[in-house]
Amino acid sequence: MDSVNDDIIVPTSRYPRIVVIGGGFAGISFIKKLRNKPVQVVLFDRNNYHLFQPLLYQVASCAIEPDSITFPLRKLFSRYSNFVFRMSEVLSVNPEQNRIITEKGSLTYDFLVVATGGKTNFFNLDQIKASSLDLKSIQASVILRSRILQSLEEAVTTTDPGKKDALTNFVVVGGGSAGVEMAGAIAEFKHNILPYDYPEIDPAIFHIYLIEAGTRLLGTMSETSSGRALTDLIKKGIIVLLEKTVLSYDGLHVSLNTNETLRAGTMVWTAGVLGQYPSGLNHLSHKQNNRLRTDRFNRIEGYDNIFAIGDVAFMADDRQQGHPMVAQVAIQQGRLLARNIMNIILHKPMLPFIYKDKGSLATIGRNRAVAEIGKIKLKGYIAWLIWSVVHLISISGFRNKILVAWDWFWNYLTFDMGNQMIQKDVPRISRK
Ligand SMILES: Cc1cc2nc3c(=O)[nH]c(=O)nc-3n(C[C@H](O)[C@H](O)[C@H](O)COP(=O)(O)OP(=O)(O)OC[C@H]3O[C@@H](n4cnc5c(N)ncnc54)[C@H](O)[C@@H]3O)c2cc1C
């Protein structure tokens, strides 16, 4: 490898260099398997932390603090002798030169692993993109939290009934686990915080809508779990609109395909995810959701030394469908690819990826969740307990686990959510 022209400086190494783009679930599980192995691993991420995305909605709903679900990437691998971190956005890949180009310079690689995850799919609806909030980053969740609280502060002072109505209506679009959990969390806020902290607001005018285009919620789970989630959400006072599509949103009016219009000052968009990755590989995307097509070894079609793992990878299975964009797929692909790249280096055969589905979970708030583990379907308290333990175990860092456990414990005991800081002057929308 000719690294003379590299303008990103990394320590010299006599071992092959693996460049990893993205320190999400896929990237970190890949690197963990290569600890002190005879390879140099250079990780690039636009952020200096790993983010535990499944709990972003809890930051947005005041249940936990943002730094409880982030963990510094340097700290995560500080004891790895073969690990290098560079915080930088990777802009493009030049496969002919085995080189990545970042905002801070370029670097050559022997192997490239693209683990860049996904971004929110707004289905080319620009007005909705400009006016709604998504739930894909720490910044977005903090903005959403501030927006919810700010809306209530404004609702207290406004004398305009129409404006008050809009400020106390919240719309969540997308009935997958993120949408269901977000709507459930806003309902907890309504029941446990609103009557005490905002006595000026009548809870009867506080409405939460959950809109799903499909015929049922939690489309990746069974019909039984979908039905249970629906019942729980309705019991919590959430207005669930199925088989309805949002056509436009101007920051105040939500227009549906059924000619109905809702008034809402806050709309959270969780309706879809698209793969994201640096340019240079664009011709390999799968048209349905912009993921990179790979073979069963996560090798991007047409290349021997470029791989994609996690949400960004589209690995067609026997039914020609990609794997679900969930953390378990990312983790399992990361682990196997580490083994396979070592196999390539050692001239051993690679092993094909076979996804082991460990189950699905979604919570609808205190003591309510649905869980599917193999053929077992659980609901209520036991499912909620499993959900809580699984999430707690999965968060990176002992301190973070303690912080989240403490916030949950405090909330469970007192029904209080302490993290209600409105961050002023934050940009209205933040998407990266
Ligand atoms: C709100 C929400 C709730 C979810 N709930 C669940 C759940 O309950 N269960 C579940 O299994 N899954 C859930 N998911 C999905 C899960 O988080 C993803 O499947 C998982 O994060 C995918 O891991 P990944 O490593 O492929 O990508 P990510 O975790 O998204 O990581 C990608 C990394 O790449 C970095 N990056 C991207 N592009 C660049 C670039 N050009 N240059 C440098 N760095 C870059 C990003 O900063 C990021 O660190 C949820 C997702 C969201 C958003």
Side-chain angles (χ1 to χ4, degrees):
M1 176 77 23
D2 170 22
S3 53
V4 175
N5 293 321
D6 288 347
D7 37 26
I8 289 190
I9 309 297
V10 296
T12 48
S13 166
R14 60 197 166 100
Y15 299 127
R17 179 183 296 152
I18 306 176
V19 167
V20 182
I21 314 173
F25 286 103
I28 67 167
S29 65
F30 172 80
I31 296 167
K32 279 179 183 171
K33 284 282 165 195
L34 293 175
R35 181 174 187 167
N36 303 344
K37 290 271 190 302
V39 287
Q40 182 184 52
V41 180
V42 185
L43 171 64
F44 285 84
D45 199 297
R46 57 165 75 113
N47 299 311
N48 74 333
Y49 53 80
H50 166 71
L51 171 63
F52 190 78
Q53 293 180 25
L55 290 184
L56 277 171
Y57 82 95
Q58 293 216 349
V59 174
S61 59
C62 312
I64 58 174
E65 270 303 301
D67 67 343
S68 319
I69 56 166
T70 62
F71 196 84
L73 288 163
R74 284 182 182 274
K75 200 178 290 299
L76 198 57
F77 301 113
S78 61
R79 289 167 195 229
Y80 288 44
S81 60
N82 58 342
F83 174 76
V84 181
F85 176 67
R86 294 290 174 262
M87 182 176 146
S88 185
E89 173 99 19
V90 177
L91 304 173
S92 62
V93 178
N94 184 334
E96 288 72 38
Q97 293 180 7
N98 287 333
R99 180 180 293 279
I100 56 155
I101 294 93
T102 81
E103 55 187 4
K104 292 183 182 157
S106 68
L107 185 70
T108 46
Y109 57 80
D110 295 292
F111 298 95
L112 177 65
V113 177
V114 184
T116 41
K119 60 181 178 186
T120 304
N121 186 359
F122 288 94
F123 302 95
N124 297 322
L125 297 164
D126 292 337
Q127 190 202 34
I128 290 179
K129 186 175 177 183
S131 313
S132 65
L133 295 164
D134 68 351
L135 208 50
K136 236 351 210 166
S137 65
I138 273 291
Q139 290 86 346
S141 64
V142 171
I143 291 170
L144 180 52
R145 177 171 85 181
S146 293
R147 173 75 77 81
I148 294 171
L149 297 168
Q150 186 80 49
S151 297
L152 298 178
E153 293 299 338
E154 285 175 30
V156 167
T157 51
T158 185
T159 49
D160 176 344
K163 194 171 172 202
K164 194 174 194 125
D165 186 32
L167 289 167
T168 51
N169 285 347
F170 298 85
V171 168
V172 180
V173 186
S177 64
V180 164
E181 291 180 347
M182 186 71 236
I186 302 177
E188 298 265 293
F189 186 94
K190 173 182 173 178
H191 297 303
N192 302 332
I193 304 293
L194 191 77
Y196 307 103
D197 293 8
Y198 296 87
E200 305 93 333
I201 298 176
D202 177 1
I205 66 162
F206 188 115
H207 297 116
I208 307 154
Y209 296 89
L210 176 61
I211 304 176
E212 162 59 38
T215 51
R216 63 188 182 94
L217 301 172
L218 301 176
T220 55
M221 296 180 85
S222 68
E223 294 206 8
T224 313
S225 296
S226 294
R228 285 171 174 170
L230 179 65
T231 311
D232 280 346
L233 288 166
I234 292 170
K235 273 190 199 155
K236 280 183 164 290
I238 295 162
I239 303 160
V240 181
L241 305 177
L242 294 174
E243 295 184 78
K244 298 201 180 184
T245 311
V246 175
L247 298 181
S248 68
Y249 177 59
D250 60 6
L252 206 58
H253 304 97
V254 187
S255 304
L256 306 179
N257 62 331
T258 45
N259 289 330
E260 293 161 278
T261 303
L262 306 172
R263 204 192 271 265
T266 304
M267 184 163 98
V268 191
W269 186 266
T270 69
V273 187
L274 285 177
Q276 62 169 348
Y277 44 85
S279 63
L281 303 168
N282 307 32
H283 56 296
L284 296 164
S285 70
H286 184 259
K287 61 181 181 311
Q288 199 184 340
N289 47 14
N290 198 44
R291 297 160 90 186
L292 293 166
R293 285 179 175 279
T294 75
D295 63 15
R296 301 298 288 263
F297 310 103
N298 283 101
R299 200 166 35 191
I300 295 181
E301 283 178 9
Y303 297 104
D304 289 334
N305 63 343
I306 309 182
F307 301 81
I309 48 176
D311 277 5
V312 74
F314 181 92
M315 183 191 290
D317 62 11
D318 300 336
R319 293 168 299 139
Q320 292 304 304
Q321 285 180 352
H323 294 98
M325 292 162 100
V326 293
Q328 264 307 317
V329 172
I331 292 167
Q332 291 176 30
Q333 289 188 343
R335 286 178 185 155
L336 183 70
L337 181 61
R339 203 170 152 191
N340 275 336
I341 289 187
M342 289 312 298
N343 282 354
I344 296 174
I345 293 169
L346 299 170
H347 305 290
K348 289 185 184 169
M350 290 197 287
L351 304 165
F353 178 73
I354 298 163
Y355 176 47
K356 294 182 195 69
D357 187 354
K358 294 190 174 172
S360 308
L361 301 161
T363 180
I364 301 108
R366 173 182 288 252
N367 297 344
R368 288 174 201 268
V370 284
E372 291 182 1
I373 304 154
K375 288 190 175 152
I376 303 169
K377 296 183 184 63
L378 301 165
K379 65 168 182 166
Y381 181 73
I382 184 78
W384 176 79
L385 209 56
I386 293 171
W387 179 94
S388 305
V389 171
V390 166
H391 281 73
L392 214 47
I393 290 171
S394 311
I395 295 170
S396 285
F398 186 66
R399 176 180 170 273
N400 285 359
K401 291 182 207 294
I402 297 288
L403 289 176
V404 171
W406 166 252
D407 272 333
W408 286 354
F409 175 70
W410 183 254
N411 171 247
Y412 197 79
L413 224 58
T414 64
F415 290 82
D416 193 17
M417 291 171 179
N419 306 306
Q420 292 175 40
M421 190 186 76
I422 294 178
Q423 202 174 325
K424 278 195 164 178
D425 303 325
V426 286
R428 196 160 179 276
I429 307 285
S430 169
R431 285 181 195 112
K432 241 314 168 172

